[in-house]
Amino acid sequence: MPIKFHKQSREFHLYNDQLSYIIKVLKNDQLGQLYFGKRVVDRDNHDYLVENTYRPVTSYVYDNDYSFSLGNMKQEYPAYGTTDYRLPAVEIKQPNGSSITNFTYVSHRIYDGKPQLNGLPATYVENDNEATTLEVLLHDDVINVDLTLIYTIFNNYDAIARSAKFTNQGEHDYQLTTAMSMNLDLPDDDYDWLQFSGAWGRERQLKAAHLRPGIQSVGSTRGASSHMENPFVILKRPHTDDFQGEAYGFSLVYSGNFLAQAEVDPYKVTRVQLGINPFHFSWKLAPQASFQTPEAVMVYTTNGLNDLSQNFHHLYQQRLTRGYWRDRQRPILVNNWEATYFDFTEDKLLSLAKTAKDLGIELFVLDDGWFGKRTSETAGLGDWWVNRDRLPDGISGLSAKIHQLGMMFGLWFEPEMTNKDSDLYRNHPDYIIKTPDRHASHGRKQYVLDFSRPEVVDYVYNMMVKVLADGKVDYVKWDMNRNITECFSAAYPADQQGEIFHRYILGVYDLYERLINKFPQILFESCASGGGRFDAGMLYYAPQAWTSDDSDAIERLKIQTGTSYCYPTSSMGAHVSVSPNEQLQRQTPLKTRADVAYFGAFGYELDLNSLPETDRQQIKQQVAFMKKYRQIFQFGTFYRLKTPFDSNIVAWLAVSPDKKQAIMGYFKILNDVNAEYRRQQLPGLAADLTYQVSEEDGSQIGEFTGNELANIGLVTTDASAGENKETTDFYSKLFIFNAK
Ligand code: GLA
């Protein structure tokens, strides 16, 4: 069993073929962290790793003992104020105003399999022999609260999933004000911190900086994981790159306010924490009540960031995403938003769908504007019934017509929102999040429904079920277009207002879960003004997410590259849109737009009818090409070969699991004249296989062994002395590798 308990030393060793994670019950019965890294041989005792140093200006736990300070210990789930001055993983406010705690070891359980987290998204196993779980029960005697730390190590993924659970066994109410999902104290600070920052239209851009003493953090206070930061960070050694070197990845399976931080202490210990943002959070822990934190997933590699990412991709594709669509190729869609915006009639939609069908497109998605009085962004959100002025035969009529064409039918919802100009708001003005006696701010003229209240979730559920059951709907785009302000719920007392952000997200998860159970074959795509809630939590419910409202191919190189550090290509909604691009006015070739979008859940979002016939013919070929290679693009092993964060050339590679097929997307952002004679080395192929290399139109480039491609590389030069008229700015080319 890959978790060992050494009774004498009270040490736990969690391991698989690649990883070891070692923790110990310290002499004060709290839990210490000894090692997380490459697999090491098991041994009975690692006492030599426990620091017992005397240091000036240090506080010590035991009388007449200058050796044991929690401030000098690497810990599993530290508290503040009992000799450790660093930021804590837990804080509990008690009736007398104190927040001192002392959680000490009581018992543990080791078992095959992995528990699910009630009401929360989490990785899972299909068979108990896929993973082993350790639960360590700790207890604070003064407040009579249990803390269970839950660790699961997977056999086939280099990953450990963790969470913490609090149960109040006492008689008093407490306020849990900090409850991180994970804490990891690493023994040195020689790491670069990588975060994925951005804003609307430019989500998840890689930013890196070397760790420095003190605290560095990213987080969200918006009620959603946000466009601005992502609940995923990496610590890597300075020399680590995509192809080699040591790195840790930390991902939170959660979609609400989060905090990811690293604190480097004076002795160069790096404390990494990830969890619900303690800012504006508190949870009333009543007698007998429990609080379960979201799950954090930790991946470790010595083989570079591609390997780190691939571990997340495979785990999240196979054991976070669920249901009918988990392993299925995603339908090629056309979405009417950028084709029509709010200006559509049924005829216009059907004409777009017919053209799409002729081009081989499989799914027609009707975006915003089909319901209530929704003819502009000022009205109708919350009224989830069809607008018969626009769609006389209803959603069921339109969906039947789309199905008659031989296409699937998809529909847009924004379940968490309402406009003041809506029947929902007129009937239930108390259903929105707002603080009494204060102005309620808006975003896009809309207000956030109070999903912390089960009756509000029920209300929306009932409306959605009616639409989804009446019309046959195969796909739902679940949008969410503003963040929470004046956070307060009319349904909760003063001492529970700190819970609302978290309860809101629990309400979102609940609605998703109920709809998935009711309609297991619907493909959900999450969206939040593009990628404003692209996180591991959402992938548990919606296997794909609209990566960004910015569909410009060149911007997408950055957005999709940044997203790929944690999330698989199958999860990234990626559409070909019009040129000049609607967000940026940039003109890019239709080929480049498709070549970028192939590496995702592919589709089109433009008026196919207003394109020149030559473009339509090209799209027909693109659709056929994507159908042929979709399995590799969406489920192959994905490599970043060159990234737009440090190169004018971007190269992505997707390799089939048997390594017999691969596709490289090769993109040159700006053209260059008289440039170097370029080669691209290709990892991930089978050294001893010979590959025929061709372009997508079948023209042959040559034959090379995997060994040559990995070491010598493939010549990718597309302009010698700038004479090649084919290459322009925003140029792209696909290289297809087929083993003989
Ligand atoms: C958001 C989404 C878009 C589109 C519009 C509709 O901005 O990100 O894709 O659905 O809403 O209002």
Side-chain angles (χ1 to χ4, degrees):
M1 179 161 287
I3 298 182
K4 271 203 174 142
F5 178 59
H6 296 281
K7 215 169 169 182
Q8 206 109 74
S9 59
R10 301 198 296 177
E11 289 181 11
F12 300 94
H13 185 180
L14 293 72
Y15 60 88
N16 61 22
D17 289 344
Q18 305 298 331
L19 303 180
S20 280
Y21 190 90
I22 305 174
I23 57 188
K24 178 183 187 71
V25 183
L26 299 168
K27 85 171 179 194
N28 71 340
D29 294 332
Q30 291 189 16
L31 220 52
Q33 151 67 218
L34 299 185
Y35 175 77
F36 178 32
K38 206 173 169 64
R39 166 78 188 270
V40 292
V41 291
D42 191 51
R43 73 185 258 153
D44 289 341
N45 188 320
H46 291 85
D47 270 341
Y48 68 99
L49 290 175
V50 179
E51 189 172 327
N52 290 306
T53 327
Y54 167 75
R55 296 181 191 276
V57 202
T58 295
S59 305
Y60 294 95
V61 171
Y62 297 108
D63 297 346
N64 305 322
D65 177 344
Y66 289 89
S67 71
F68 191 86
S69 171
L70 291 168
N72 295 343
M73 296 292 161
K74 294 163 198 73
Q75 294 168 70
E76 275 304 297
Y77 206 75
Y80 165 80
T82 54
T83 73
D84 188 349
Y85 299 100
R86 294 166 292 183
L87 286 177
V90 50
E91 270 211 302
I92 301 178
K93 271 249 153 56
Q94 298 148 45
N96 67 1
S98 158
S99 49
I100 297 296
T101 55
N102 178 24
F103 284 101
T104 55
Y105 174 81
V106 177
S107 63
H108 69 269
R109 281 201 314 138
I110 296 172
Y111 54 90
D112 287 339
K114 179 178 192 297
Q116 281 310 100
L117 307 185
N118 203 3
L120 281 166
T123 56
Y124 59 90
V125 292
E126 289 196 328
N127 288 305
D128 279 352
N129 59 13
E130 290 177 16
T132 311
T133 295
L134 165 68
E135 290 189 9
V136 185
L137 175 64
L138 306 154
H139 188 73
D140 184 302
D141 293 338
V142 174
I143 57 175
N144 202 5
V145 170
D146 285 342
L147 162 61
T148 308
L149 299 181
I150 308 159
Y151 302 81
T152 297
I153 184 158
F154 295 89
N155 293 337
N156 296 324
Y157 307 96
D158 301 348
I160 293 174
R162 296 179 56 168
S163 69
K165 185 177 177 181
F166 295 87
T167 305
N168 184 356
Q169 308 284 12
E171 283 150 22
H172 301 287
D173 289 342
Y174 302 114
Q175 288 286 347
L176 195 53
T177 55
T178 301
M180 301 308 279
S181 296
M182 60 152 287
N183 181 95
L184 178 67
D185 288 354
L186 292 167
D188 74 87
D189 67 347
D190 191 19
Y191 292 103
D192 293 338
W193 160 272
L194 274 53
Q195 63 189 50
F196 299 87
S197 303
W200 174 87
R202 52 179 166 85
E203 296 91 337
R204 292 172 297 284
Q205 319 267 310
L206 171 65
K207 305 284 171 199
H210 198 64
L211 285 182
R212 58 184 197 280
I215 296 160
Q216 35 258 283
S217 71
V218 292
S220 170
T221 54
R222 294 173 165 263
S225 49
S226 88
H227 299 83
M228 290 73 191
E229 303 296 347
N230 197 261
F232 173 66
V233 291
I234 293 174
L235 285 185
K236 71 167 191 70
R237 294 297 185 189
H239 65 269
T240 296
D241 59 24
D242 270 327
F243 306 98
Q244 56 77 40
E246 193 184 6
Y248 296 90
F250 305 100
S251 163
L252 190 64
V253 188
Y254 188 59
S255 313
N257 289 348
F258 75 94
L259 179 68
Q261 69 187 7
E263 177 172 6
V264 176
D265 81 5
Y267 310 109
K268 298 190 173 182
V269 169
T270 301
R271 170 166 289 177
V272 188
Q273 292 177 336
L274 187 58
I276 292 178
N277 198 335
F279 176 76
H280 218 285
F281 168 80
S282 64
W283 192 274
K284 179 176 166 182
L285 204 59
Q288 303 315 310
S290 289
F291 180 80
Q292 168 69 58
T293 74
E295 176 167 289
V297 175
M298 314 186 292
V299 165
Y300 172 78
T301 183
T302 52
N303 300 319
L305 299 181
N306 274 317
D307 185 63
L308 182 101
S309 300
Q310 287 159 9
N311 265 289
F312 277 110
H313 297 168
H314 294 147
L315 178 64
Y316 284 179
Q317 247 168 358
Q318 294 157 11
R319 293 295 180 265
L320 175 63
T321 303
R322 298 175 293 169
Y324 181 81
W325 287 100
R326 184 185 76 178
D327 305 322
R328 283 190 160 78
Q329 295 178 11
R330 305 299 158 71
I332 298 172
L333 66 80
V334 62
N335 179 307
N336 78 306
W337 180 242
E338 289 196 13
T340 69
Y341 294 102
F342 286 112
D343 182 19
F344 61 80
T345 58
E346 193 188 72
D347 283 350
K348 208 167 175 182
L349 298 176
L350 284 172
S351 151
L352 179 62
K354 275 186 200 127
T355 307
K357 172 66 188 171
D358 288 344
L359 303 182
I361 293 171
E362 299 157 320
L363 163 65
F364 176 83
V365 178
L366 173 54
D367 208 277
D368 196 355
W370 57 267
F371 51 89
K373 292 216 185 81
R374 186 76 170 174
T375 48
S376 77
E377 66 178 41
T378 61
L381 282 179
D383 294 344
W384 300 111
W385 53 84
V386 72
N387 177 342
R388 294 234 172 220
D389 293 341
R390 311 191 107 188
L391 301 173
D393 295 336
I395 288 299
S396 51
L398 176 63
S399 132
K401 290 173 201 171
I402 298 288
H403 285 118
Q404 269 158 26
L405 289 175
M407 297 179 88
M408 290 186 273
F409 177 69
L411 203 53
W412 182 95
F413 286 89
E414 196 174 357
E416 300 154 68
M417 300 291 157
T418 190
N419 291 112
K420 284 198 171 168
D421 186 359
S422 69
D423 286 357
L424 184 150
Y425 184 78
R426 280 184 284 273
N427 293 333
H428 299 281
D430 58 318
Y431 273 14
I432 67 169
I433 290 183
K434 63 170 187 240
T435 300
D437 308 322
R438 301 276 171 196
H439 172 68
S441 309
H442 74 101
R444 209 192 188 199
K445 287 261 183 178
Q446 62 192 57
Y447 297 83
V448 184
L449 290 172
D450 184 357
F451 267 38
S452 72
R453 295 168 66 173
E455 69 272 29
V456 177
V457 175
D458 282 349
Y459 190 87
V460 176
Y461 172 78
N462 288 330
M463 277 188 288
M464 288 180 78
V465 164
K466 209 163 166 347
V467 180
L468 296 175
D470 283 355
K472 180 163 167 11
V473 177
D474 307 290
Y475 161 107
V476 166
K477 177 173 169 186
W478 177 319
D479 211 338
M480 193 285 290
N481 284 312
R482 66 155 291 195
N483 294 138
I484 293 172
T485 53
E486 292 90 23
C487 184
F488 186 97
S489 171
Y492 292 86
D495 62 354
Q496 288 191 270
Q497 291 301 325
E499 302 175 11
I500 303 309
F501 273 118
H502 182 56
R503 285 190 182 274
Y504 174 84
I505 284 293
L506 294 179
V508 172
Y509 291 154
D510 180 46
L511 182 58
Y512 257 118
E513 189 71 31
R514 289 161 69 183
L515 290 171
I516 287 168
N517 286 335
K518 179 114 185 130
F519 304 102
Q521 298 208 353
I522 289 184
L523 170 60
F524 282 87
E525 176 156 348
S526 74
C527 175
S529 292
R533 204 163 59 182
F534 199 127
D535 54 62
M538 278 294 140
L539 290 185
Y540 187 65
Y541 305 95
Q544 58 193 58
W546 182 224
T547 316
S548 176
D549 274 347
D550 190 346
S551 55
D552 172 76
I554 301 308
E555 292 306 298
R556 278 298 187 113
L557 288 174
K558 284 186 264 177
I559 297 165
Q560 290 173 218
T561 298
T563 305
S564 80
Y565 281 87
C566 186
Y567 309 104
T569 50
S570 59
S571 70
M572 293 184 218
H575 301 172
V576 173
S577 63
V578 77
S579 174
N581 175 267
E582 300 263 314
Q583 293 81 36
L584 216 63
Q585 303 308 315
R586 182 181 281 141
Q587 300 192 31
T588 53
L590 181 52
K591 171 167 168 54
T592 304
R593 282 175 270 153
D595 287 357
V596 173
Y598 289 143
F599 288 85
F602 182 71
Y604 290 84
E605 185 152 346
L606 74 178
D607 185 1
L608 297 167
N609 289 323
S610 66
L611 297 174
E613 186 54 32
T614 46
D615 281 6
R616 269 194 296 272
Q617 285 315 312
Q618 198 178 340
I619 288 176
K620 195 171 191 172
Q621 285 165 12
Q622 291 174 346
V623 169
F625 174 79
M626 181 58 179
K627 286 180 183 168
K628 187 164 173 203
Y629 290 103
R630 171 162 48 182
Q631 184 68 27
I632 303 178
F633 279 124
Q634 295 181 343
F635 295 95
T637 303
F638 178 81
Y639 291 85
R640 292 172 298 271
L641 303 180
K642 285 202 166 64
T643 84
F645 301 115
D646 50 21
S647 165
N648 184 47
I649 303 258
V650 179
W652 295 335
L653 178 71
V655 184
S656 68
D658 64 5
K659 302 189 178 196
K660 288 196 172 146
Q661 274 197 324
I663 302 179
M664 175 169 70
Y666 179 83
F667 310 94
K668 185 160 64 173
I669 297 174
L670 292 182
N671 204 5
D672 44 7
V673 68
N674 199 14
E676 69 271 28
Y677 194 69
R678 296 192 176 99
R679 288 182 215 174
Q680 178 60 55
Q681 291 178 324
L682 290 147
L685 301 177
D688 50 353
L689 288 181
T690 299
Y691 294 89
Q692 239 160 15
V693 186
S694 59
E695 296 188 48
E696 76 258 47
D697 63 4
S699 50
Q700 296 297 313
I701 291 171
E703 273 185 19
F704 308 95
T705 62
N707 169 283
E708 288 169 292
L709 291 167
N711 297 301
I712 299 175
L714 181 74
V715 172
T716 55
T717 289
D718 41 59
S720 90
E723 284 158 6
N724 184 347
K725 296 273 183 301
E726 296 298 305
T727 60
T728 59
D729 289 347
F730 318 134
Y731 168 81
S732 81
K733 184 167 176 171
L734 294 179
F735 294 88
I736 299 156
F737 303 82
N738 278 299
K740 287 175 64 176

